[in-house]
C-alpha cells in the first residue's frame, strides 16, 4: 500500500503550501464545474426533457444537503453552509437558460461544506455511502429518452465531483494520529476522486484535469504528513494488564497511559485487551 504510485505534484513545497494549492484548485474547479454543467442538453428540448434535467440537477444539490446533515455540523457551521446551499437551490430556477450558474453555485456550496465539516467524519461518511447511484439508462437509443439519460449522467458526474471537491477542501485541514490512519485516508480519498473522474465525459476535460490535480496534491500532502508519524504496532500479553504498565513497558513514560487506553477504546484503563495496537514510538 505504501508503494502505491501517485502523481508527483507539489515538488518541494511545504505542507502549508500544499494546503494552499488545494484551496487554489478548489477555486478553479468551481469555474470548471460551471463549464461542465453546460453539458446538460437543454437548448431546444421539449418541456419534459428540461424538467427531467432540473430534477436530476436537484438530485446533485440534494446529495450535498444530505451530506450536510450526516456530518453533524454545529449551528455556527450550518450558518456558513446553508446560504450557499440556498443559492444553489435558487440557481436551479435558471438552469434551462444558465446551467453554468448552477454548476458554479453547486461547487461553492461543496467548498463551504468541506471548509466546515470535520475531515475525518466527512471521509468516513462518503466511504459509508459508497458511490452515487448510477444514472438511469435510456429505454430506447434515440429521441428524448436518450437525451434525458445523457442529462442524468451529467448530473451524477456533478454529484460525484462535488463530493470529491468537498472532501479535497476538508483534507487540507486534516491531521492524523498515525501512519496507518493517514494511509487509509489517502486510499479512501483516492477512491472518491476516481469515482468522479471516471464519470466525466469529454465535455468536462477542464473539470477532470483540475480534479485530477487536486487528487495528486492531496496524495502528496497526506504522504508528507505521514512521514512524521510513528507506525502502529500490535502488542500482546497473556493477561489484561493496566495501561500504566504498558505505558512504562513500551515508552518508559507513564504519561502515555491515557493514550493507550484511548486507542484501545477500553472501558477501564486498568484492563487493557490482551492484544491491541499502539504507536511504535
Amino acid at each position: 500500500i505504501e508503494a502505491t504510485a501517485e502523481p508527483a505534484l507539489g515538488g518541494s513545497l511545504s505542507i502549508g503550501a500544499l494546503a494552499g494549492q488545494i484551496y487554489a484548485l478548489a477555486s478553479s474547479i468551481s469555474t470548471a464545474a460551471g463549464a461542465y454543467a453546460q453539458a446538460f442538453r437543454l437548448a431546444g428540448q421539449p418541456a419534459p426533457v428540461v424538467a427531467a434535467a432540473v430534477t436530476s440537477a436537484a438530485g446533485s444539490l440534494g446529495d450535498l444537503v444530505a451530506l450536510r446533515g450526516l456530518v453533524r455540523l454545529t449551528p455556527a457551521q450550518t450558518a456558513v453552509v446553508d446560504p450557499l446551499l440556498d443559492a444553489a437551490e435558487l440557481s436551479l430556477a435558471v438552469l434551462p437558460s444558465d446551467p453554468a450558474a448552477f454548476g458554479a453555485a453547486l461547487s461553492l456550496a461543496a467548498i463551504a461544506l468541506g471548509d466546515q465539516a470535520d475531515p475525518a467524519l466527512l471521509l468516513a461518511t462518503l466511504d459509508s455511502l459508497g458511490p452515487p447511484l448510477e444514472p438511469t439508462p435510456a429505454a430506447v437509443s434515440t429521441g428524448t429518452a436518450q437525451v434525458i439519460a445523457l442529462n442524468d449522467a451529467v448530473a451524477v458526474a456533478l454529484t460525484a465531483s462535488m463530493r470529491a471537491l468537498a472532501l479535497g477542501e476538508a483534507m487540507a485541514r486534516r491531521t492524523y494520529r498515525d501512519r496507518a490512519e493517514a494511509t487509509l485516508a489517502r486510499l479512501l480519498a483516492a477512491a472518491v476522486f476516481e469515482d468522479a473522474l471516471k464519470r466525466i465525459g469529454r465535455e468536462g476535460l477542464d473539470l477532470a484535469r483540475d480534479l485530477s490535480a487536486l487528487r495528486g496534491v492531496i496524495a502528496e500532502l497526506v504522504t508528507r504528513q505521514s512521514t512524521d508519524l510513528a507506525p502502529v504496532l500490535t502488542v500482546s500479553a497473556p493477561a489484561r494488564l493496566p495501561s500504566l504498565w504498558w505505558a512504562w513497558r513500551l515508552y518508559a513514560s507513564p504519561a502515555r497511559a491515557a493514550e493507550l487506553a484511548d486507542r484501545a477504546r477500553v472501558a477501564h484503563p486498568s484492563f487493557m485487551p490482551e492484544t491491541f495496537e499502539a504507536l511504535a514510538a
Side-chain angles (χ1 to χ4, degrees):
I1 293 175
E2 286 293 320
T4 299
E6 298 286 357
L9 297 179
S12 59
L13 293 178
S14 67
I15 287 176
L18 287 168
Q21 278 196 346
I22 290 175
Y23 299 135
L25 282 167
S27 179
S28 295
I29 289 170
S30 178
T31 301
Y36 179 65
Q38 296 181 79
F40 281 113
R41 276 73 165 176
L42 299 168
Q45 297 296 331
V49 172
V50 175
V54 172
T55 299
S56 294
S60 299
L61 174 58
D63 188 77
L64 282 183
V65 173
L67 277 177
R68 178 204 56 185
L70 292 170
V71 298
R72 302 192 295 272
L73 299 182
T74 66
Q77 292 168 332
T78 300
V80 174
V81 175
D82 277 2
L84 291 164
L85 289 172
D86 292 342
E89 184 177 4
L90 289 174
S91 71
L92 277 171
V94 296
L95 179 72
S97 60
D98 191 3
F102 172 72
L106 189 68
S107 59
L108 291 177
I111 290 171
L113 179 61
D115 278 335
Q116 300 300 317
D118 175 79
L121 180 55
L122 179 58
L123 179 56
T125 300
L126 290 174
D127 180 54
S128 176
L129 288 174
L133 294 176
E134 295 295 326
T136 304
V140 295
S141 59
T142 59
T144 58
Q146 183 68 12
V147 177
I148 290 173
L150 291 171
N151 285 339
D152 195 20
V154 171
V156 174
L158 275 175
T159 298
S161 298
M162 294 305 101
R163 288 184 175 191
L165 175 56
L167 178 61
E169 187 81 4
M171 292 283 282
R173 300 180 289 106
R174 184 166 179 185
T175 57
Y176 306 93
R177 298 188 303 169
D178 51 58
R179 289 183 191 173
E181 184 179 64
T183 297
L184 178 61
R186 187 183 66 186
L187 294 175
L188 293 180
V192 174
F193 277 84
E194 288 297 333
D195 180 70
L197 289 168
K198 76 178 183 181
R199 298 177 186 275
I200 300 170
R202 288 176 296 178
E203 302 90 342
L205 292 179
D206 288 343
L207 179 59
R209 178 201 63 211
D210 289 344
L211 281 175
S212 182
L214 181 57
R215 175 190 59 183
V217 173
I218 289 170
E220 178 69 14
L221 174 61
V222 178
T223 299
R224 297 279 185 86
Q225 290 172 304
S226 68
T227 58
D228 295 329
L229 299 172
V232 173
L233 300 177
T234 299
V235 295
S236 62
R240 294 174 63 85
L241 299 168
S243 61
L244 190 62
W245 186 93
W246 276 114
W248 183 257
R249 176 68 179 81
L250 294 172
Y251 311 120
S253 172
R256 299 186 66 175
E259 170 195 326
L260 290 171
D262 180 64
R263 179 177 288 275
R265 297 184 176 88
V266 294
H268 195 284
S270 296
F271 302 97
M272 293 288 286
E274 293 182 8
T275 300
F276 59 93
E277 291 185 342
L279 294 181

